[in-house]
Amino acid sequence: MKASKFDIGNLFLVTALFMLVSGLCFGILAALIYLFPDFLKQEIGFASLRPLHVSSAMFWIILGATGCVYSGMKAFIKDSKIKVIAMIQWGLWIIAIIGIITSYFTKDFGGKEYWEFNPVWALPIALAWILFLVNFFLLVKKIKNWPVYIWMWMTGILFFLFTFSENYLWVFPYFREHFITDMTIQWKVNGSLVGSWNQILYGTAFFLMDKISNTKNTGVSKFAFAMYFLGLFNLMFNWGHHIYSLPTEKYIRYIGYIVSMTEWVFFIKIIYDWRASVSTIQKHYHYFPYKFLMAADIWVFLNMGQAILMSIPAINIYTHGTHVTVAHAMGTTIGINSMILFAACFEFLKFNSTNNNRIKYYKFLFWALQISLLIFWLSLNIAGIKKGIWQLSDNQESYSKMMESLRPYFIVFVLAGVGLMYTLSSLAFGLIKNMFTNNHSKDIVTH
Amino acid sequence: MKLKPTYVFLILSVSFLAYSFSIYIKPLSAKEDQRFNKKMSSDGQLVWQNYNCQSCHQLYNLGGYLGPDLTNVISNPNKGENIIRAMVKSGTKQMPAFNLSDNEMNSLIEFLKSTDASGKADPRKLKVNSFGMVE
């Protein structure tokens, strides 16, 4: 079956893949500054490269998540009004992306961390998201007894809009004039926004599991709903673990601490389900979607273990503000979000090949990606632990000397980053090329 | 009794909204701090954002990783206001020089005074209580 080139879900997925490649290019340039401080210092500088990398990576996830929802709901997109709204939504995103990239290149900043662009570009994003919400409800209005993934998609879309708006409360002097409240809200937003797109992506993972196993069991089980509500509970209340060291109200920190500990339930369940999941899904034919979902499962295990430990305040004082936090952010963004998105891209963009060499090459890319990410993650963690020890030592050497001592780990981190760039870009371009040249009669890779 | 997903969702959402608003109203009960000018400090935060200082520097260990945390840089005996002014103007090995106007520079300094007055960010000053929470 030929994948439709004008499919709205595909349009978002392909745009997301381009953002991924953009994020990787800017990420490598930014990482090189850790090794060569003068690199591009005058031309563009770290202050522009970091947000160019971060925003591109976030747009890869957000646009990819949008594409997953539209692709998952493809069967319900019959109304031309929905397609028109979705096209306007996509157009607003393109306007926002062009504006934001220009904003960074011209150093026209103004926003908070992770959203550093001139706040005017938040408007097309907010408008696009409102249209997404409208479209979503138009799509699901006739569906009764929603499976869990539709609940998760709805939650992700709704809470993204709420927290994204909350992200701009600093515009009002009422909030800005109270530094601690302002920072509390900033990290409440950052925590909940990640939770929002995770809801959409984990929903997509549930959708794919049902599709791959050709059953409707996963999406309607009581356990899936219990996990969904536990995830939602964490999205809403666990963000306090970001701000243990901020002198905000004690109850905020305690709520964050206690709620974060409920994530142990997920963690134990992952271990409990491990063997069962391998034996059931493995039998099916969607080779690459399955491989990427399994990889995401392993990265969930590693990152959740790390996150739970980091949520314990006594450990958090060692890891907070160090590269352990970066390792966690990269581990979840690449290891979990990107693996689920690649599973979705391979499924929805109908990757097919009967060419054995091509299949072998993609298998190589898959494994090279996992190895590069593991080295990348470990090097950042070690650098972070070393910085954590420095932070708490009584006889601190200067900050620059401490950073200089981390140089060997930064070299490994940059080299592993090159590996990530090569593998992820090759996969992204391969999928885009496949979509535009897809004319094989065979639908699914059966290796 | 069968608990419908809609009810659970609504209960959680209302709790979340109540929690959010409890945070939004905090400034109403906050005491005025005389150690800095509130309006100037608020403008200084915009300078901090407009020059994207957060890309390299942290406040309360939240932010970038290339440069040091600046929460208490004003009261640091080895740094302080004058050093900050000089560093911003001339740049360092990694940091480019910034051409701030006098107004922007004064506002930025006022913002850093307000972060300094808000508490201590040095993890060595934190204590872990019997519940495992830092104080």
Side-chain angles (χ1 to χ4, degrees), chain A residues 234-245:
Chain A
N234 271 275
L235 176 165
M236 292 168 165
F237 302 108
N238 82 358
W239 49 266
H241 61 223
H242 293 289
I243 50 171
Y244 287 144
S245 63

Side-chain angles (χ1 to χ4, degrees), chain A residues 33-34 36-38 41-42 46-48 50-51 104 107-114 116 151 154-155 158-159 162-163 166 169-170 173-188 192 225 228-229 232-233 235-237 239-240 242-247 249-258 312-314 317 320-323 325-326 387 390-396 399 403-404, chain B residues 2-32 36 38-46 48-69 71 79 90-98 111 114-116 118-135:
Chain A
I33 294 178
Y34 274 87
F36 311 105
D38 280 332
K41 183 178 165 183
Q42 300 305 330
F46 192 77
S48 290
R50 185 187 186 228
Y104 289 151
K107 299 189 190 303
D108 179 22
F109 304 114
K112 291 261 188 185
E113 194 185 4
Y114 305 133
E116 291 97 333
W151 276 99
M154 186 273 287
T155 303
L158 201 60
F159 276 83
F162 179 82
T163 40
E166 200 181 24
L169 286 179
W170 61 265
Y174 167 82
F175 291 102
R176 210 170 59 238
E177 285 173 358
H178 296 88
F179 172 68
I180 297 296
T181 301
D182 187 63
M183 270 201 99
T184 305
I185 293 172
Q186 182 187 347
W187 287 92
K188 174 181 185 290
S192 296
F225 273 95
Y228 156 61
F229 284 121
L232 179 58
F233 182 54
L235 176 165
M236 292 168 165
F237 302 108
W239 49 266
H242 293 289
I243 50 171
Y244 287 144
S245 63
L246 190 73
E249 279 67 22
K250 276 185 185 177
Y251 76 87
I252 293 175
R253 288 177 281 156
Y254 275 98
I255 288 174
Y257 179 21
I258 294 163
I312 298 169
I317 56 171
H320 185 61
T322 73
H323 295 85
T325 320
V326 188
K387 188 187 172 193
W390 171 85
Q391 273 185 173
L392 288 161
S393 70
D394 289 328
N395 302 312
Q396 271 183 1
Y399 189 85
M403 286 293 277
E404 192 56 36
Chain B
K2 197 181 169 188
L3 205 55
K4 285 190 174 177
T6 313
Y7 298 148
V8 182
F9 179 80
L10 286 175
I11 291 166
L12 283 174
S13 298
V14 170
S15 312
F16 176 67
L17 282 176
Y19 187 38
S20 300
F21 278 91
S22 78
I23 295 162
Y24 302 159
I25 59 169
K26 288 286 164 207
L28 296 174
S29 56
K31 286 179 192 158
E32 196 81 16
F36 59 90
K38 201 163 78 173
K39 165 79 177 64
M40 254 178 102
S41 151
S42 157
D43 291 344
Q45 183 176 327
L46 294 181
W48 174 270
Q49 290 174 205
N50 287 340
Y51 287 89
N52 203 13
C53 306
Q54 61 214 337
S55 151
C56 299
H57 293 287
Q58 302 181 336
L59 295 171
Y60 284 103
N61 306 108
L62 296 159
Y65 299 84
L66 214 51
D69 187 291
T71 316
K79 302 264 173 64
S90 58
T92 63
K93 189 178 168 192
Q94 278 173 314
M95 187 173 91
F98 289 95
F111 172 62
S114 79
T115 65
D116 191 43
S118 68
K120 295 287 172 206
D122 187 344
R124 290 173 299 181
K125 303 267 193 287
L126 298 171
K127 299 247 179 320
V128 180
N129 68 19
S130 55
F131 193 64
M133 176 55 80
V134 288
E135 289 184 332

Side-chain angles (χ1 to χ4, degrees), chain A residues 24 28 361 364-365 368-369 372 416-429:
Chain A
L24 290 164
I28 284 292
Y361 177 59
F364 159 75
L365 287 176
L369 165 62
S372 301
V418 172
L420 285 175
M421 183 177 164
Y422 170 71
T423 52
L424 287 167
S425 305
S426 303
L427 285 165
F429 283 126

Side-chain angles (χ1 to χ4, degrees), chain A residues 10-20 63 90 94 97:
Chain A
N10 289 1
L11 184 64
F12 276 98
L13 287 175
V14 168
T15 312
L17 286 166
F18 278 112
M19 290 317 297
L20 168 67
L63 291 171
W90 181 80
I94 297 300
I97 289 168

